[in-house]
Amino acid sequence: MKTVLTGIKPTGELHLGNYLGAIKPAIELSKDEENQYAYFIADIHALNNDVKRKEGAINELSLKIAAAFFALGLDTDRCLFYKQSDIPQITEMSMYLMNETSKGLLNRAHAYKAKVQDNIINNNDPDNGINMGLFNYPVLMAADILIMDTDIVPVGKDQLQHIEITRDIAQSINNNYGEIFKMPEARIEEKTMVLPGNDGRKMSKSYGNTIPIFSTEKELYKNIMKIKTESIALGEPIPTQNSIIYTLFKAFLNNEEMKEINKQFEAGVGYGNLKKNLFEVINNELKEKRNSYYELLDDETYINDILIKNQSVVRNIAQSKLDLLKYKMLNH
């Protein structure tokens, strides 16, 4: 069986973009019993991000991510789910990997280059606000992947470079010390959904336009009613192209169900009616999941039991790979 690995950073409240673009596809993928799956909360990665000071403690956000995955249907009997910080072997391995990683390779990493360029544009020192956590982000990510003998990493196109860097590091070590690591492959998620926020831009915490997954019914209704729309007279056909409401309907409904929605747009039933209908659609999908989510957070025993059980399993896997790497590098 091949190992598929995915990580998610706890950098803020989860919203519908996270749900449809990352969490739901990951859970659906895990139902394929031909592979084995490892999902982790990338809480150490989150430390290099200032968001942690604005959105809450990382441990609190990590707990919410675990509750979300479990409430949304992850089979914890089939899938490993763990916190990055619970596996000290990952950070130890990253130190060994750094010694086989050129600075030039990390200089080319997109996140680092983007931060430098942003500083230059704003007439700041090029390294202003850049910590070594950000600069070494690709090495820690390589440790996440390689320590689990990962075969496949599902990523969007913007993350492809990280897998290429991981492969470069793994190949360098294998060439110098013998076969230690598998060569992980990226699985490009071509159809990864980019959901619009209630202002039409990409749903993002930085834009303040998100619709939280687990907001109350009242908050969900309020957020949907705030969706930006154009002025169209009642009875006139409502265009579907570039429509935020239409895009959200498509994200939650199948092709057969969309036939009725198309009729409503053509009949010009009015944005108010469409928004109320959209609220019902989204609320119906999330209502029971929302209840499960808050039940898990009210009693953290289930979450902690899963994390503790998997912590032991993952540490054993990681220690075996780390021991091999240390032996090869220190006895070469």
Side-chain angles (χ1 to χ4, degrees), residues 151 203 294 303:
D151 296 285
M203 191 175 291
Y294 285 111
I303 296 173

Side-chain angles (χ1 to χ4, degrees), residues 25-84:
I27 292 173
E28 289 299 317
L29 178 65
S30 71
K31 294 175 182 178
D32 179 358
E33 297 185 5
E34 291 186 3
N35 298 315
Q36 54 190 9
Y37 301 88
Y39 296 141
F40 69 95
I41 302 168
D43 52 346
I44 302 176
H45 283 302
L47 287 170
N48 68 44
N49 193 316
D50 285 341
V51 173
K52 65 181 183 293
R53 300 184 183 91
K54 304 172 186 175
E55 298 284 348
I58 290 176
N59 272 339
E60 178 188 344
L61 295 172
S62 296
L63 193 71
K64 289 181 176 180
I65 287 177
F69 267 86
F70 301 162
L72 294 170
L74 184 72
D75 184 347
T76 55
D77 291 327
R78 290 196 60 253
C79 305
L80 286 172
F81 191 92
Y82 57 96
K83 280 201 302 183
Q84 186 184 37

Side-chain angles (χ1 to χ4, degrees), residues 115 119 124-130:
K115 185 71 174 175
N119 280 332
N124 293 323
D125 183 279
D127 289 326
N128 180 57
I130 298 174

Side-chain angles (χ1 to χ4, degrees), residues 133-328:
L134 176 64
F135 186 71
N136 284 317
Y137 183 102
V139 182
L140 182 57
M141 186 170 178
D144 292 324
I145 295 167
L146 298 175
I147 207 163
M148 293 298 290
D149 257 345
T150 304
D151 296 285
I152 300 168
V153 186
V155 292
K157 289 181 179 178
D158 61 330
Q159 288 286 314
L160 179 60
Q161 187 195 43
H162 288 305
I163 311 306
E164 293 171 345
I165 291 174
T166 298
R167 288 172 61 89
D168 285 344
I169 296 171
Q171 188 170 43
S172 173
I173 290 175
N174 287 348
N175 288 342
N176 289 332
Y177 304 103
E179 291 299 314
I180 298 174
F181 295 125
K182 289 182 177 180
M183 298 297 289
E185 296 181 2
R187 177 180 290 176
I188 305 298
E189 301 296 308
E190 298 282 0
K191 296 181 180 178
T192 296
M193 188 171 296
V194 177
L195 212 63
N198 50 30
D199 62 355
R201 293 179 293 177
K202 176 185 175 181
M203 191 175 291
S204 170
K205 291 183 286 289
S206 60
Y207 294 147
N209 65 354
T210 63
I211 301 175
I213 304 174
F214 300 111
S215 56
T216 65
E217 289 191 8
K218 184 177 180 180
E219 290 167 341
L220 177 62
Y221 182 82
K222 183 178 178 181
N223 264 313
I224 290 174
M225 296 307 288
K226 281 167 53 178
I227 292 175
K228 184 179 178 181
T229 55
E230 56 206 76
S231 179
I232 295 178
L234 195 66
E236 288 188 15
I238 300 172
T240 58
Q241 189 172 5
N242 299 322
S243 167
I244 304 170
I245 295 175
Y246 189 78
T247 301
L248 289 170
F249 271 124
K250 283 192 71 174
F252 283 89
L253 298 177
N254 60 37
N255 290 338
E256 190 62 32
E257 291 167 327
M258 281 303 297
K259 290 180 181 178
E260 175 57 32
I261 300 302
N262 284 321
K263 290 179 182 178
Q264 292 179 26
F265 272 79
E266 290 168 7
V269 298
Y271 279 118
N273 290 323
L274 287 172
K275 288 179 180 180
K276 289 175 184 176
N277 190 358
L278 179 62
F279 162 75
E280 293 295 335
V281 166
I282 296 176
N283 192 52
N284 285 342
E285 174 158 338
L286 296 178
K287 189 172 186 177
E288 289 186 11
K289 298 177 174 69
R290 182 194 303 130
N291 293 337
S292 297
Y293 172 78
Y294 285 111
E295 286 173 7
L296 286 165
L297 290 181
D298 285 341
D299 180 4
E300 299 169 12
T301 305
Y302 179 81
I303 296 173
N304 290 327
D305 285 349
I306 294 293
L307 292 177
I308 290 170
K309 180 187 75 172
N310 288 345
Q311 171 184 304
S312 176
V313 174
V314 175
R315 281 185 179 183
N316 286 335
I317 295 169
Q319 190 64 54
S320 176
K321 184 59 66 175
L322 177 61
D323 286 345
L324 176 60
L325 177 65
K326 288 168 65 175
Y327 177 81
K328 292 280 191 177

Side-chain angles (χ1 to χ4, degrees), residues 116-129:
V116 169
Q117 187 61 33
D118 185 56
N119 280 332
I120 292 171
I121 290 171
N122 289 291
N123 296 315
N124 293 323
D125 183 279
D127 289 326
N128 180 57

